Amino acid sequence: MTNMSLVKTFILTGLPHAPELDTFLFGIFLVIYVLTLVGNLLILLVIVVNPHLHTPMYYLLSNLSFIDMWYSTVTTPKMLMTLVSPEGSPISFPSCVAQLYSFHFLGSTECFLYTVMSYDRFLAISYPLRYASMMSGRTCALLATTTWLSGSVHSAVQTTLTFRLPFCGPNQIQHYICDAPAILKLACADTSTMEMVIFVNIGVVASGCFLLIVLSYVSIIHSILKIRTSEGRWRAFQTCASHCTVVLCFFGPGVFIYLRPGSKEVVDRIVAVFYTVMTPLLNPVIYTLRNKDVKKALLKFKDKVVYSESK
């Protein structure tokens, strides 16, 4: 990666807010962060210890929980540091590179994973008798591995394009994380071409994944309408409702920030909270509340813990 940077340290300015709200916001985001870690870790443990959940759907869900734990860890601690430092939180140049790479790596991997999850639901509902052979354990593991590798390559491109520019002037990043749109504004060079390349890069991935998800659900709805009993239709719909909800929560804010013309720093930072802080928390909540299998497994897991403690 070539770079003629003279800036050694960046300053993350954090969320726009009144100074008197520092303590309140710190407490809120700290609680959200802890709940995110606990919720996703709990789903991981329940899926691992419960043999009934050793299926492709829950294998993919465990990948999602693992991503969300690290996704939140990459972003939230730095946000918390900006809230306890009035001057902003310093971050070294290499750390900023690492955070941008990790942020886009986990984010794009999650994007690809949602696409695979929608394909899994399409096979389960459209081809129930052939589902076990079409989505075997090996196929599922291969698809999951592909999402991680694709996310890694996509993020490497993003990071290289961003930091190959020279940074020789201001070092205040108007954000609580190192993200490409905010960093590009500090470059000591014309960034219009680079912004367009990054826009196309993110646009192709996001719109491609979203289009595949939409196509999967159009096919799923078509298959659901063919089910004769209302109970069967409702059961099939419920298996997809959780996934649809988290997809909308993830893609909505991301599209707003990266795929719209122009950029408003204050608005971007506030909207970013939804997919960097709230979505990783909502995933375990949504999948737990809307999924009977997970709720049953959680109750069994709790009973096992209580029983072992009573011995």
Side-chain angles (χ1 to χ4, degrees):
M1 186 186 306
T2 60
N3 98 65
M4 300 176 291
S5 172
L6 299 177
V7 174
K8 302 299 180 185
T9 304
F10 290 110
I11 304 295
L12 296 170
T13 58
L15 280 171
H17 66 283
E20 55 269 22
L21 293 177
D22 280 347
T23 304
F24 173 75
L25 290 175
F26 182 88
I28 291 292
F29 287 121
L30 179 60
V31 169
I32 291 174
Y33 178 54
V34 172
L35 289 176
T36 299
L37 293 183
V38 172
N40 283 290
L41 182 60
L42 196 57
I43 285 184
L44 272 173
L45 289 173
V46 166
I47 291 174
V48 169
V49 302
N50 195 314
H52 297 294
L53 300 183
H54 292 177
T55 64
M57 174 181 171
Y58 292 107
Y59 175 75
L60 296 173
L61 178 56
S62 66
N63 275 262
L64 180 62
S65 291
F66 184 77
I67 289 173
D68 282 336
M69 286 173 61
W70 286 106
Y71 195 54
S72 183
T73 299
V74 165
T75 57
T76 309
K78 266 299 175 185
M79 177 199 285
L80 294 174
M81 290 178 68
T82 64
L83 292 171
V84 297
S85 176
E87 304 299 323
S89 176
I91 183 170
S92 68
F93 193 94
S95 296
C96 192
V97 174
Q99 187 183 48
L100 178 66
Y101 175 80
S102 301
F103 177 62
H104 281 278
F105 167 47
L106 294 167
S108 54
T109 300
E110 185 160 342
C111 180
F112 293 127
L113 187 63
Y114 283 135
T115 309
V116 173
M117 291 174 78
S118 68
Y119 176 66
D120 171 69
R121 292 300 84 206
F122 161 69
L123 292 181
I125 291 173
S126 300
Y127 305 99
L129 299 179
R130 297 165 54 196
Y131 173 69
S133 60
M134 296 177 75
M135 185 60 81
S136 63
R138 183 178 179 180
T139 302
C140 187
L142 181 61
L143 288 171
T145 302
T146 302
T147 65
W148 286 92
L149 292 176
S150 301
S152 177
V153 172
H154 176 259
S155 182
V157 172
Q158 282 292 103
T159 307
T160 303
L161 290 174
T162 301
F163 286 103
R164 70 190 303 269
L165 294 167
F167 295 89
C168 54
N171 68 338
Q172 286 200 335
I173 299 174
Q174 301 299 318
H175 212 306
Y176 55 86
I177 55 172
C178 289
D179 197 12
I183 294 171
L184 288 176
K185 292 179 180 178
L186 304 181
C188 302
D190 180 25
T191 62
S192 55
T193 303
M194 202 65 66
E195 286 177 0
M196 182 55 66
V197 172
I198 290 176
F199 175 85
V200 171
N201 184 32
I202 294 178
V204 167
V205 171
S207 58
C209 289
F210 191 72
L211 178 61
L212 290 173
I213 291 171
V214 170
L215 289 175
S216 293
Y217 275 95
V218 168
S219 301
I220 287 171
I221 291 171
H222 180 68
S223 298
I224 289 176
L225 293 177
K226 288 182 178 179
I227 299 175
R228 295 181 179 180
T229 64
S230 57
E231 183 183 350
R233 286 196 297 269
W234 177 246
R235 190 183 299 113
F237 172 77
Q238 278 190 313
T239 62
C240 301
S242 301
H243 184 248
C244 286
T245 305
V246 296
V247 163
L248 291 174
C249 289
F250 181 80
F251 277 91
V255 168
F256 178 82
I257 290 177
Y258 295 107
L259 301 182
R260 83 184 198 278
S263 176
K264 296 181 180 179
E265 293 170 349
V266 174
V267 177
D268 284 356
R269 280 182 278 175
I270 294 173
V271 173
V273 171
F274 285 95
Y275 71 91
T276 60
V277 179
M278 297 306 299
T279 301
L281 172 66
L282 288 175
N283 283 348
V285 172
I286 291 171
Y287 278 108
T288 301
L289 293 179
R290 298 189 64 91
N291 192 301
K292 291 181 180 178
D293 291 335
V294 175
K295 282 193 284 189
K296 288 179 181 177
L298 280 171
L299 290 173
K300 287 182 180 179
F301 183 71
K302 187 189 80 168
D303 291 340
K304 284 183 179 179
V305 172
V306 173
Y307 178 74
S308 61
E309 288 180 350
S310 65
K311 277 188 170 183

